Short mmCIF file of all heavy atoms in Angstrom, two decimals:
data_model
loop_
_atom_site.label_atom_id
_atom_site.label_comp_id
_atom_site.label_asym_id
_atom_site.label_seq_id
_atom_site.Cartn_x
_atom_site.Cartn_y
_atom_site.Cartn_z
N ASP A 1 23.07 -49.74 0.94
CA ASP A 1 21.75 -50.22 1.30
C ASP A 1 20.86 -50.47 0.08
O ASP A 1 19.66 -50.56 0.20
CB ASP A 1 21.12 -49.29 2.31
CG ASP A 1 20.89 -47.88 1.80
OD1 ASP A 1 21.45 -47.51 0.76
OD2 ASP A 1 20.15 -47.14 2.46
N SER A 2 21.48 -50.61 -1.09
CA SER A 2 20.67 -50.83 -2.30
C SER A 2 20.04 -52.22 -2.37
O SER A 2 19.16 -52.46 -3.18
CB SER A 2 21.52 -50.60 -3.55
OG SER A 2 22.48 -51.62 -3.71
N MET A 3 20.46 -53.14 -1.49
CA MET A 3 19.91 -54.50 -1.53
C MET A 3 19.19 -54.88 -0.24
O MET A 3 18.99 -56.06 0.05
CB MET A 3 21.03 -55.50 -1.83
CG MET A 3 21.59 -55.39 -3.23
SD MET A 3 20.36 -55.66 -4.54
CE MET A 3 20.16 -57.43 -4.47
N THR A 4 18.77 -53.88 0.55
CA THR A 4 18.10 -54.18 1.81
C THR A 4 16.82 -54.98 1.61
O THR A 4 16.48 -55.81 2.45
CB THR A 4 17.78 -52.89 2.60
OG1 THR A 4 17.00 -52.02 1.77
CG2 THR A 4 19.05 -52.19 3.05
N GLY A 5 16.13 -54.78 0.50
CA GLY A 5 14.91 -55.54 0.23
C GLY A 5 15.15 -57.02 0.01
O GLY A 5 14.24 -57.83 0.09
N ALA A 6 16.39 -57.39 -0.27
CA ALA A 6 16.78 -58.79 -0.45
C ALA A 6 17.41 -59.35 0.83
O ALA A 6 17.92 -60.46 0.83
CB ALA A 6 17.74 -58.94 -1.62
N GLY A 7 17.39 -58.55 1.90
CA GLY A 7 17.96 -59.00 3.16
C GLY A 7 19.47 -58.83 3.26
O GLY A 7 20.09 -59.35 4.18
N ILE A 8 20.07 -58.12 2.32
CA ILE A 8 21.50 -57.82 2.38
C ILE A 8 21.62 -56.42 2.94
O ILE A 8 21.27 -55.44 2.29
CB ILE A 8 22.15 -57.93 0.99
CG1 ILE A 8 21.94 -59.34 0.42
CG2 ILE A 8 23.65 -57.61 1.08
CD1 ILE A 8 22.36 -59.50 -1.03
N LEU A 9 22.10 -56.33 4.17
CA LEU A 9 22.09 -55.07 4.91
C LEU A 9 23.47 -54.44 4.96
O LEU A 9 24.49 -55.13 4.82
CB LEU A 9 21.57 -55.33 6.32
CG LEU A 9 20.20 -56.03 6.40
CD1 LEU A 9 19.85 -56.34 7.85
CD2 LEU A 9 19.12 -55.21 5.73
N PRO A 10 23.53 -53.11 5.16
CA PRO A 10 24.84 -52.45 5.31
C PRO A 10 25.65 -53.13 6.41
O PRO A 10 25.13 -53.45 7.48
CB PRO A 10 24.47 -51.02 5.68
CG PRO A 10 23.12 -50.81 5.09
CD PRO A 10 22.43 -52.15 5.26
N GLY A 11 26.92 -53.39 6.12
CA GLY A 11 27.80 -54.05 7.08
C GLY A 11 27.83 -55.57 6.94
O GLY A 11 28.69 -56.22 7.53
N ASP A 12 26.88 -56.15 6.18
CA ASP A 12 26.90 -57.59 5.95
C ASP A 12 28.12 -57.97 5.13
O ASP A 12 28.61 -57.19 4.32
CB ASP A 12 25.65 -58.05 5.19
CG ASP A 12 24.41 -58.14 6.07
OD1 ASP A 12 24.52 -57.94 7.30
OD2 ASP A 12 23.33 -58.41 5.51
N VAL A 13 28.59 -59.18 5.32
CA VAL A 13 29.65 -59.75 4.50
C VAL A 13 28.97 -60.63 3.45
O VAL A 13 28.13 -61.46 3.78
CB VAL A 13 30.63 -60.59 5.35
CG1 VAL A 13 31.64 -61.30 4.47
CG2 VAL A 13 31.32 -59.70 6.36
N VAL A 14 29.31 -60.41 2.20
CA VAL A 14 28.73 -61.19 1.10
C VAL A 14 29.78 -62.18 0.62
O VAL A 14 30.89 -61.78 0.25
CB VAL A 14 28.29 -60.26 -0.06
CG1 VAL A 14 27.74 -61.07 -1.21
CG2 VAL A 14 27.27 -59.25 0.43
N ILE A 15 29.45 -63.44 0.64
CA ILE A 15 30.34 -64.49 0.16
C ILE A 15 29.83 -64.93 -1.21
O ILE A 15 28.65 -65.25 -1.36
CB ILE A 15 30.39 -65.68 1.14
CG1 ILE A 15 30.92 -65.20 2.49
CG2 ILE A 15 31.24 -66.81 0.57
CD1 ILE A 15 30.85 -66.22 3.59
N VAL A 16 30.72 -64.91 -2.19
CA VAL A 16 30.32 -65.24 -3.55
C VAL A 16 31.17 -66.37 -4.09
O VAL A 16 32.26 -66.63 -3.60
CB VAL A 16 30.42 -64.01 -4.49
CG1 VAL A 16 29.51 -62.91 -4.03
CG2 VAL A 16 31.84 -63.51 -4.56
N ARG A 17 30.65 -67.02 -5.10
CA ARG A 17 31.46 -68.00 -5.84
C ARG A 17 31.34 -67.66 -7.30
O ARG A 17 30.27 -67.30 -7.79
CB ARG A 17 31.02 -69.43 -5.55
CG ARG A 17 29.83 -69.90 -6.30
CD ARG A 17 29.50 -71.36 -5.97
NE ARG A 17 28.06 -71.53 -5.97
CZ ARG A 17 27.35 -71.80 -7.06
NH1 ARG A 17 27.95 -71.94 -8.22
NH2 ARG A 17 26.05 -71.91 -7.00
N ARG A 18 32.45 -67.73 -7.96
CA ARG A 18 32.48 -67.45 -9.39
C ARG A 18 31.83 -68.63 -10.11
O ARG A 18 32.07 -69.79 -9.78
CB ARG A 18 33.92 -67.28 -9.85
CG ARG A 18 34.03 -66.87 -11.29
CD ARG A 18 35.50 -66.70 -11.66
NE ARG A 18 35.62 -66.35 -13.04
CZ ARG A 18 35.80 -65.12 -13.49
NH1 ARG A 18 35.91 -64.14 -12.63
NH2 ARG A 18 35.88 -64.88 -14.77
N GLN A 19 30.98 -68.31 -11.07
CA GLN A 19 30.38 -69.36 -11.88
C GLN A 19 30.31 -68.88 -13.31
O GLN A 19 30.44 -67.69 -13.59
CB GLN A 19 29.00 -69.76 -11.35
CG GLN A 19 27.98 -68.64 -11.35
CD GLN A 19 26.70 -69.06 -10.67
OE1 GLN A 19 26.75 -69.58 -9.55
NE2 GLN A 19 25.58 -68.85 -11.31
N GLU A 20 30.13 -69.83 -14.20
CA GLU A 20 30.21 -69.53 -15.62
C GLU A 20 29.04 -68.68 -16.13
O GLU A 20 29.21 -67.82 -16.99
CB GLU A 20 30.27 -70.84 -16.40
CG GLU A 20 30.93 -70.70 -17.74
CD GLU A 20 31.20 -72.05 -18.36
OE1 GLU A 20 31.85 -72.88 -17.71
OE2 GLU A 20 30.73 -72.25 -19.49
N LYS A 21 27.84 -68.91 -15.61
CA LYS A 21 26.66 -68.20 -16.12
C LYS A 21 25.83 -67.67 -14.97
O LYS A 21 25.83 -68.21 -13.87
CB LYS A 21 25.79 -69.14 -16.95
CG LYS A 21 26.42 -69.56 -18.24
CD LYS A 21 25.44 -70.36 -19.05
CE LYS A 21 26.09 -70.75 -20.37
NZ LYS A 21 25.15 -71.45 -21.24
N ALA A 22 25.10 -66.60 -15.28
CA ALA A 22 24.11 -66.06 -14.35
C ALA A 22 22.82 -65.89 -15.13
O ALA A 22 22.83 -65.54 -16.32
CB ALA A 22 24.58 -64.72 -13.79
N GLU A 23 21.72 -66.15 -14.48
CA GLU A 23 20.41 -66.08 -15.12
C GLU A 23 19.62 -64.91 -14.55
O GLU A 23 19.89 -64.44 -13.44
CB GLU A 23 19.63 -67.38 -14.89
CG GLU A 23 20.33 -68.63 -15.39
CD GLU A 23 20.50 -68.67 -16.90
OE1 GLU A 23 19.68 -68.06 -17.62
OE2 GLU A 23 21.47 -69.30 -17.36
N THR A 24 18.62 -64.46 -15.28
CA THR A 24 17.72 -63.43 -14.80
C THR A 24 17.18 -63.85 -13.43
O THR A 24 16.76 -64.99 -13.25
CB THR A 24 16.57 -63.20 -15.80
OG1 THR A 24 17.12 -62.63 -16.98
CG2 THR A 24 15.53 -62.25 -15.24
N GLY A 25 17.21 -62.92 -12.49
CA GLY A 25 16.73 -63.19 -11.14
C GLY A 25 17.81 -63.57 -10.16
O GLY A 25 17.59 -63.54 -8.95
N ASP A 26 19.00 -63.93 -10.65
CA ASP A 26 20.12 -64.26 -9.75
C ASP A 26 20.67 -62.99 -9.12
O ASP A 26 20.77 -61.95 -9.77
CB ASP A 26 21.26 -64.94 -10.52
CG ASP A 26 20.95 -66.35 -10.98
OD1 ASP A 26 19.93 -66.92 -10.53
OD2 ASP A 26 21.73 -66.88 -11.79
N VAL A 27 21.03 -63.08 -7.85
CA VAL A 27 21.76 -61.99 -7.19
C VAL A 27 23.22 -62.20 -7.53
O VAL A 27 23.77 -63.28 -7.31
CB VAL A 27 21.52 -61.98 -5.67
CG1 VAL A 27 22.37 -60.92 -5.00
CG2 VAL A 27 20.03 -61.75 -5.36
N ILE A 28 23.84 -61.15 -8.08
CA ILE A 28 25.22 -61.27 -8.57
C ILE A 28 26.08 -60.15 -8.02
O ILE A 28 25.58 -59.15 -7.52
CB ILE A 28 25.26 -61.23 -10.11
CG1 ILE A 28 24.79 -59.87 -10.63
CG2 ILE A 28 24.44 -62.36 -10.72
CD1 ILE A 28 25.12 -59.61 -12.08
N VAL A 29 27.38 -60.35 -8.11
CA VAL A 29 28.34 -59.28 -7.89
C VAL A 29 28.85 -58.92 -9.28
O VAL A 29 29.33 -59.78 -10.01
CB VAL A 29 29.51 -59.71 -6.99
CG1 VAL A 29 30.54 -58.60 -6.88
CG2 VAL A 29 28.99 -60.10 -5.61
N ALA A 30 28.71 -57.66 -9.65
CA ALA A 30 29.14 -57.21 -10.97
C ALA A 30 30.18 -56.12 -10.82
O ALA A 30 30.08 -55.28 -9.93
CB ALA A 30 27.94 -56.68 -11.75
N LEU A 31 31.15 -56.14 -11.68
CA LEU A 31 32.14 -55.09 -11.74
C LEU A 31 31.71 -54.13 -12.85
O LEU A 31 31.63 -54.51 -14.02
CB LEU A 31 33.53 -55.68 -12.04
CG LEU A 31 34.69 -54.71 -12.00
CD1 LEU A 31 34.83 -54.08 -10.61
CD2 LEU A 31 35.98 -55.43 -12.37
N VAL A 32 31.38 -52.91 -12.46
CA VAL A 32 30.95 -51.87 -13.40
C VAL A 32 31.99 -50.76 -13.32
O VAL A 32 32.08 -50.08 -12.30
CB VAL A 32 29.54 -51.35 -13.08
CG1 VAL A 32 29.13 -50.27 -14.07
CG2 VAL A 32 28.52 -52.49 -13.07
N GLY A 33 32.77 -50.62 -14.37
CA GLY A 33 33.90 -49.69 -14.31
C GLY A 33 34.88 -50.20 -13.27
O GLY A 33 35.30 -51.35 -13.32
N ASP A 34 35.21 -49.38 -12.28
CA ASP A 34 36.13 -49.77 -11.21
C ASP A 34 35.40 -50.16 -9.93
O ASP A 34 36.03 -50.38 -8.91
CB ASP A 34 37.09 -48.61 -10.90
CG ASP A 34 38.04 -48.32 -12.04
OD1 ASP A 34 38.31 -49.25 -12.83
OD2 ASP A 34 38.51 -47.18 -12.16
N GLU A 35 34.07 -50.23 -9.98
CA GLU A 35 33.27 -50.48 -8.78
C GLU A 35 32.60 -51.84 -8.83
O GLU A 35 32.05 -52.23 -9.86
CB GLU A 35 32.18 -49.41 -8.66
CG GLU A 35 32.69 -48.01 -8.56
CD GLU A 35 32.77 -47.52 -7.13
OE1 GLU A 35 32.03 -48.05 -6.29
OE2 GLU A 35 33.59 -46.63 -6.88
N ALA A 36 32.64 -52.55 -7.71
CA ALA A 36 31.88 -53.79 -7.58
C ALA A 36 30.53 -53.45 -6.95
O ALA A 36 30.45 -52.60 -6.06
CB ALA A 36 32.63 -54.79 -6.71
N THR A 37 29.48 -54.11 -7.42
CA THR A 37 28.15 -53.87 -6.89
C THR A 37 27.39 -55.19 -6.79
O THR A 37 27.62 -56.10 -7.60
CB THR A 37 27.38 -52.85 -7.76
OG1 THR A 37 26.15 -52.53 -7.12
CG2 THR A 37 27.12 -53.35 -9.16
N VAL A 38 26.52 -55.31 -5.81
CA VAL A 38 25.65 -56.47 -5.65
C VAL A 38 24.27 -56.04 -6.12
O VAL A 38 23.71 -55.07 -5.61
CB VAL A 38 25.61 -56.94 -4.18
CG1 VAL A 38 24.65 -58.11 -4.02
CG2 VAL A 38 27.00 -57.32 -3.69
N LYS A 39 23.74 -56.76 -7.09
CA LYS A 39 22.43 -56.45 -7.64
C LYS A 39 21.78 -57.73 -8.15
O LYS A 39 22.42 -58.76 -8.28
CB LYS A 39 22.53 -55.46 -8.82
CG LYS A 39 23.13 -54.11 -8.49
CD LYS A 39 22.18 -53.24 -7.71
CE LYS A 39 22.73 -51.87 -7.43
NZ LYS A 39 23.66 -51.79 -6.34
N THR A 40 20.51 -57.64 -8.50
CA THR A 40 19.80 -58.73 -9.15
C THR A 40 19.94 -58.55 -10.66
O THR A 40 19.72 -57.45 -11.17
CB THR A 40 18.32 -58.74 -8.75
OG1 THR A 40 18.23 -58.90 -7.33
CG2 THR A 40 17.57 -59.88 -9.42
N LEU A 41 20.30 -59.61 -11.34
CA LEU A 41 20.48 -59.56 -12.79
C LEU A 41 19.14 -59.68 -13.49
O LEU A 41 18.31 -60.53 -13.16
CB LEU A 41 21.38 -60.72 -13.24
CG LEU A 41 21.59 -60.87 -14.74
CD1 LEU A 41 22.35 -59.67 -15.32
CD2 LEU A 41 22.32 -62.16 -15.05
N ARG A 42 18.93 -58.80 -14.47
CA ARG A 42 17.76 -58.89 -15.33
C ARG A 42 18.23 -58.70 -16.77
O ARG A 42 18.96 -57.77 -17.07
CB ARG A 42 16.73 -57.82 -14.97
CG ARG A 42 15.48 -57.87 -15.83
CD ARG A 42 14.35 -57.03 -15.29
NE ARG A 42 14.72 -55.64 -15.19
CZ ARG A 42 14.07 -54.74 -14.44
NH1 ARG A 42 13.05 -55.10 -13.69
NH2 ARG A 42 14.46 -53.49 -14.42
N ARG A 43 17.84 -59.63 -17.62
CA ARG A 43 18.17 -59.54 -19.05
C ARG A 43 16.93 -59.10 -19.80
O ARG A 43 15.84 -59.61 -19.57
CB ARG A 43 18.63 -60.88 -19.59
CG ARG A 43 19.93 -61.36 -18.99
CD ARG A 43 20.22 -62.77 -19.51
NE ARG A 43 21.35 -63.36 -18.83
CZ ARG A 43 22.59 -63.34 -19.29
NH1 ARG A 43 22.85 -62.74 -20.43
NH2 ARG A 43 23.56 -63.92 -18.62
N ARG A 44 17.11 -58.17 -20.70
CA ARG A 44 16.04 -57.70 -21.60
C ARG A 44 16.61 -57.76 -23.01
O ARG A 44 17.27 -56.82 -23.44
CB ARG A 44 15.61 -56.30 -21.23
CG ARG A 44 15.01 -56.25 -19.84
CD ARG A 44 14.06 -55.12 -19.74
NE ARG A 44 13.49 -55.16 -18.40
CZ ARG A 44 12.23 -54.92 -18.18
NH1 ARG A 44 11.42 -54.64 -19.16
NH2 ARG A 44 11.76 -54.95 -16.95
N GLY A 45 16.37 -58.87 -23.66
CA GLY A 45 17.01 -59.09 -24.96
C GLY A 45 18.51 -59.17 -24.78
O GLY A 45 18.99 -59.94 -23.96
N ARG A 46 19.25 -58.32 -25.47
CA ARG A 46 20.71 -58.31 -25.33
C ARG A 46 21.17 -57.34 -24.25
O ARG A 46 22.35 -57.28 -23.93
CB ARG A 46 21.35 -57.95 -26.67
CG ARG A 46 21.09 -59.02 -27.73
CD ARG A 46 21.91 -58.82 -28.97
NE ARG A 46 23.34 -58.71 -28.75
CZ ARG A 46 24.18 -59.72 -28.63
NH1 ARG A 46 23.74 -60.95 -28.70
NH2 ARG A 46 25.47 -59.50 -28.45
N ARG A 47 20.24 -56.58 -23.69
CA ARG A 47 20.60 -55.60 -22.65
C ARG A 47 20.61 -56.26 -21.28
O ARG A 47 19.78 -57.10 -20.96
CB ARG A 47 19.58 -54.45 -22.65
CG ARG A 47 19.97 -53.35 -21.68
CD ARG A 47 19.12 -52.14 -21.86
NE ARG A 47 17.82 -52.36 -21.20
CZ ARG A 47 16.86 -51.46 -21.18
NH1 ARG A 47 17.01 -50.31 -21.79
NH2 ARG A 47 15.74 -51.72 -20.57
N ILE A 48 21.58 -55.87 -20.47
CA ILE A 48 21.71 -56.34 -19.10
C ILE A 48 21.33 -55.19 -18.17
O ILE A 48 21.78 -54.06 -18.35
CB ILE A 48 23.15 -56.80 -18.81
CG1 ILE A 48 23.45 -58.07 -19.61
CG2 ILE A 48 23.38 -57.03 -17.33
CD1 ILE A 48 24.90 -58.49 -19.55
N GLU A 49 20.50 -55.50 -17.18
CA GLU A 49 20.13 -54.52 -16.16
C GLU A 49 20.53 -55.06 -14.80
O GLU A 49 20.36 -56.26 -14.53
CB GLU A 49 18.63 -54.24 -16.20
CG GLU A 49 18.17 -53.66 -17.50
CD GLU A 49 16.67 -53.43 -17.57
OE1 GLU A 49 15.93 -53.90 -16.70
OE2 GLU A 49 16.25 -52.76 -18.52
N LEU A 50 21.05 -54.21 -13.95
CA LEU A 50 21.42 -54.56 -12.58
C LEU A 50 20.42 -53.87 -11.68
O LEU A 50 20.41 -52.65 -11.55
CB LEU A 50 22.86 -54.12 -12.30
CG LEU A 50 23.91 -54.69 -13.27
CD1 LEU A 50 25.27 -54.09 -12.97
CD2 LEU A 50 23.94 -56.20 -13.20
N VAL A 51 19.57 -54.67 -11.05
CA VAL A 51 18.40 -54.15 -10.34
C VAL A 51 18.63 -54.16 -8.83
O VAL A 51 18.90 -55.22 -8.24
CB VAL A 51 17.16 -55.00 -10.69
CG1 VAL A 51 15.91 -54.44 -10.03
CG2 VAL A 51 16.97 -55.08 -12.20
N PRO A 52 18.50 -53.01 -8.18
CA PRO A 52 18.62 -52.96 -6.73
C PRO A 52 17.35 -53.52 -6.08
O PRO A 52 16.29 -53.57 -6.71
CB PRO A 52 18.78 -51.48 -6.43
CG PRO A 52 18.05 -50.82 -7.55
CD PRO A 52 18.24 -51.69 -8.76
N ALA A 53 17.46 -53.91 -4.83
CA ALA A 53 16.30 -54.39 -4.07
C ALA A 53 15.81 -53.30 -3.11
O ALA A 53 15.24 -53.59 -2.08
CB ALA A 53 16.64 -55.67 -3.33
N ASN A 54 16.07 -52.06 -3.46
CA ASN A 54 15.63 -50.91 -2.69
C ASN A 54 15.15 -49.88 -3.73
O ASN A 54 15.95 -49.42 -4.55
CB ASN A 54 16.79 -50.36 -1.86
CG ASN A 54 16.43 -49.14 -1.05
OD1 ASN A 54 15.47 -48.45 -1.34
ND2 ASN A 54 17.22 -48.87 -0.02
N PRO A 55 13.87 -49.53 -3.71
CA PRO A 55 13.34 -48.63 -4.74
C PRO A 55 13.94 -47.23 -4.72
O PRO A 55 13.72 -46.46 -5.66
CB PRO A 55 11.83 -48.60 -4.44
CG PRO A 55 11.70 -49.03 -3.03
CD PRO A 55 12.85 -49.94 -2.75
N ALA A 56 14.71 -46.89 -3.70
CA ALA A 56 15.35 -45.58 -3.65
C ALA A 56 16.54 -45.48 -4.61
O ALA A 56 17.06 -44.40 -4.83
CB ALA A 56 15.81 -45.27 -2.23
N TYR A 57 16.96 -46.62 -5.18
CA TYR A 57 18.12 -46.66 -6.07
C TYR A 57 17.67 -46.96 -7.49
O TYR A 57 16.74 -47.73 -7.71
CB TYR A 57 19.12 -47.73 -5.61
CG TYR A 57 19.84 -47.34 -4.36
CD1 TYR A 57 19.28 -47.56 -3.11
CD2 TYR A 57 21.08 -46.73 -4.42
CE1 TYR A 57 19.93 -47.19 -1.95
CE2 TYR A 57 21.75 -46.36 -3.25
CZ TYR A 57 21.16 -46.58 -2.03
OH TYR A 57 21.81 -46.21 -0.89
N PRO A 58 18.38 -46.40 -8.48
CA PRO A 58 18.01 -46.66 -9.87
C PRO A 58 18.54 -48.00 -10.36
O PRO A 58 19.51 -48.55 -9.83
CB PRO A 58 18.70 -45.52 -10.63
CG PRO A 58 19.92 -45.24 -9.81
CD PRO A 58 19.48 -45.44 -8.37
N VAL A 59 17.90 -48.51 -11.40
CA VAL A 59 18.41 -49.68 -12.11
C VAL A 59 19.67 -49.24 -12.86
O VAL A 59 19.68 -48.18 -13.48
CB VAL A 59 17.35 -50.21 -13.09
CG1 VAL A 59 17.93 -51.31 -13.97
CG2 VAL A 59 16.12 -50.71 -12.34
N LEU A 60 20.73 -50.04 -12.77
CA LEU A 60 21.96 -49.74 -13.50
C LEU A 60 21.93 -50.49 -14.83
O LEU A 60 21.63 -51.68 -14.87
CB LEU A 60 23.19 -50.19 -12.70
CG LEU A 60 23.41 -49.54 -11.34
CD1 LEU A 60 24.61 -50.17 -10.65
CD2 LEU A 60 23.60 -48.05 -11.50
N ILE A 61 22.24 -49.77 -15.89
CA ILE A 61 22.33 -50.39 -17.22
C ILE A 61 23.74 -50.13 -17.74
O ILE A 61 24.02 -49.04 -18.24
CB ILE A 61 21.26 -49.82 -18.17
CG1 ILE A 61 19.88 -50.04 -17.56
CG2 ILE A 61 21.39 -50.45 -19.55
CD1 ILE A 61 18.76 -49.34 -18.31
N PRO A 62 24.64 -51.11 -17.53
CA PRO A 62 26.03 -50.91 -17.97
C PRO A 62 26.09 -50.74 -19.48
O PRO A 62 25.32 -51.34 -20.22
CB PRO A 62 26.73 -52.20 -17.54
CG PRO A 62 25.83 -52.85 -16.56
CD PRO A 62 24.45 -52.39 -16.89
N ARG A 63 27.02 -49.91 -19.92
CA ARG A 63 27.28 -49.78 -21.35
C ARG A 63 27.78 -51.12 -21.87
O ARG A 63 28.40 -51.88 -21.13
CB ARG A 63 28.31 -48.69 -21.61
CG ARG A 63 27.84 -47.30 -21.18
CD ARG A 63 28.85 -46.22 -21.55
NE ARG A 63 30.23 -46.56 -21.23
CZ ARG A 63 30.87 -46.14 -20.15
NH1 ARG A 63 30.28 -45.38 -19.26
NH2 ARG A 63 32.12 -46.49 -19.94
N SER A 64 27.55 -51.41 -23.12
CA SER A 64 27.89 -52.73 -23.66
C SER A 64 29.38 -53.06 -23.50
O SER A 64 29.72 -54.21 -23.27
CB SER A 64 27.49 -52.83 -25.13
OG SER A 64 28.14 -51.86 -25.89
N GLU A 65 30.27 -52.07 -23.56
CA GLU A 65 31.69 -52.37 -23.41
C GLU A 65 32.06 -52.70 -21.96
O GLU A 65 33.13 -53.20 -21.69
CB GLU A 65 32.57 -51.21 -23.92
CG GLU A 65 32.41 -49.91 -23.19
CD GLU A 65 31.33 -49.00 -23.78
OE1 GLU A 65 30.50 -49.45 -24.57
OE2 GLU A 65 31.33 -47.82 -23.41
N GLU A 66 31.15 -52.44 -21.00
CA GLU A 66 31.40 -52.78 -19.61
C GLU A 66 30.95 -54.20 -19.27
O GLU A 66 31.29 -54.72 -18.23
CB GLU A 66 30.67 -51.80 -18.67
CG GLU A 66 31.22 -50.41 -18.71
CD GLU A 66 30.42 -49.44 -17.85
OE1 GLU A 66 29.20 -49.57 -17.77
OE2 GLU A 66 31.07 -48.56 -17.26
N HIS A 67 30.17 -54.83 -20.14
CA HIS A 67 29.68 -56.19 -19.88
C HIS A 67 30.86 -57.15 -19.86
O HIS A 67 31.73 -57.09 -20.71
CB HIS A 67 28.70 -56.66 -20.94
CG HIS A 67 27.43 -55.87 -20.97
ND1 HIS A 67 26.44 -56.17 -21.86
CD2 HIS A 67 26.98 -54.84 -20.26
CE1 HIS A 67 25.44 -55.33 -21.69
NE2 HIS A 67 25.75 -54.52 -20.72
N THR A 68 30.84 -58.04 -18.91
CA THR A 68 31.88 -59.06 -18.89
C THR A 68 31.45 -60.23 -19.77
O THR A 68 30.27 -60.41 -20.05
CB THR A 68 32.12 -59.58 -17.46
OG1 THR A 68 30.94 -60.24 -17.01
CG2 THR A 68 32.51 -58.46 -16.52
N SER A 69 32.39 -61.04 -20.18
CA SER A 69 32.06 -62.19 -21.03
C SER A 69 31.13 -63.16 -20.31
O SER A 69 30.30 -63.79 -20.92
CB SER A 69 33.33 -62.90 -21.48
OG SER A 69 34.06 -63.36 -20.36
N GLU A 70 31.23 -63.25 -18.98
CA GLU A 70 30.36 -64.15 -18.23
C GLU A 70 28.91 -63.72 -18.35
O GLU A 70 28.02 -64.55 -18.47
CB GLU A 70 30.76 -64.20 -16.75
CG GLU A 70 32.06 -64.92 -16.48
CD GLU A 70 33.27 -64.01 -16.58
OE1 GLU A 70 33.10 -62.79 -16.83
OE2 GLU A 70 34.38 -64.49 -16.44
N LEU A 71 28.64 -62.41 -18.31
CA LEU A 71 27.26 -61.96 -18.39
C LEU A 71 26.72 -62.02 -19.80
O LEU A 71 25.53 -62.11 -20.00
CB LEU A 71 27.15 -60.53 -17.86
CG LEU A 71 27.35 -60.35 -16.37
CD1 LEU A 71 27.24 -58.87 -16.00
CD2 LEU A 71 26.37 -61.16 -15.56
N GLN A 72 27.58 -61.99 -20.80
CA GLN A 72 27.11 -62.02 -22.17
C GLN A 72 26.77 -63.42 -22.63
O GLN A 72 26.08 -63.60 -23.62
CB GLN A 72 28.17 -61.43 -23.11
CG GLN A 72 28.32 -59.94 -22.92
CD GLN A 72 29.40 -59.36 -23.81
OE1 GLN A 72 30.08 -60.08 -24.51
NE2 GLN A 72 29.54 -58.06 -23.75
N SER A 73 27.20 -64.45 -21.92
CA SER A 73 26.94 -65.83 -22.33
C SER A 73 25.47 -66.14 -22.30
O SER A 73 24.72 -65.65 -21.54
CB SER A 73 27.67 -66.80 -21.40
OG SER A 73 29.04 -66.56 -21.44
#
């Protein structure tokens, strides 16, 4: 339920398409470690933040070695 504020509710099916780039504000599916997560992308300089749409959840800041090449572009 970390994305309920964006209208993505528990039990919803999320359909995604792979694309070369993602911009700040895009809702993305990110692989962090072994887990996939749906979050809003926010870039702060070279740092990437994965922002939930539910204030009960923390912002995820993946370690630099977890960033995929698509997000670093």
Side-chain angles (χ1 to χ4, degrees):
D1 62 346
S2 70
M3 292 300 285
T4 56
I8 302 171
L9 305 175
D12 283 355
V13 174
V14 178
I15 299 172
V16 298
R17 80 179 145 86
R18 185 179 178 100
Q19 61 187 50
E20 205 170 305
K21 292 186 179 184
E23 302 295 332
T24 293
D26 289 349
V27 175
I28 64 166
V29 176
L31 186 61
V32 180
D34 293 334
E35 300 264 335
T37 186
V38 177
K39 299 286 183 280
T40 300
L41 176 65
R42 180 167 60 198
R43 295 175 188 264
R44 297 206 178 221
R46 295 190 54 85
R47 185 170 79 179
I48 292 172
E49 298 178 349
L50 303 175
V51 183
N54 179 339
Y57 289 84
V59 172
L60 299 176
I61 302 172
R63 297 184 314 261
S64 60
E65 62 270 15
E66 292 176 324
H67 295 181
T68 65
S69 60
E70 289 87 2
L71 291 179
Q72 291 178 356
S73 301

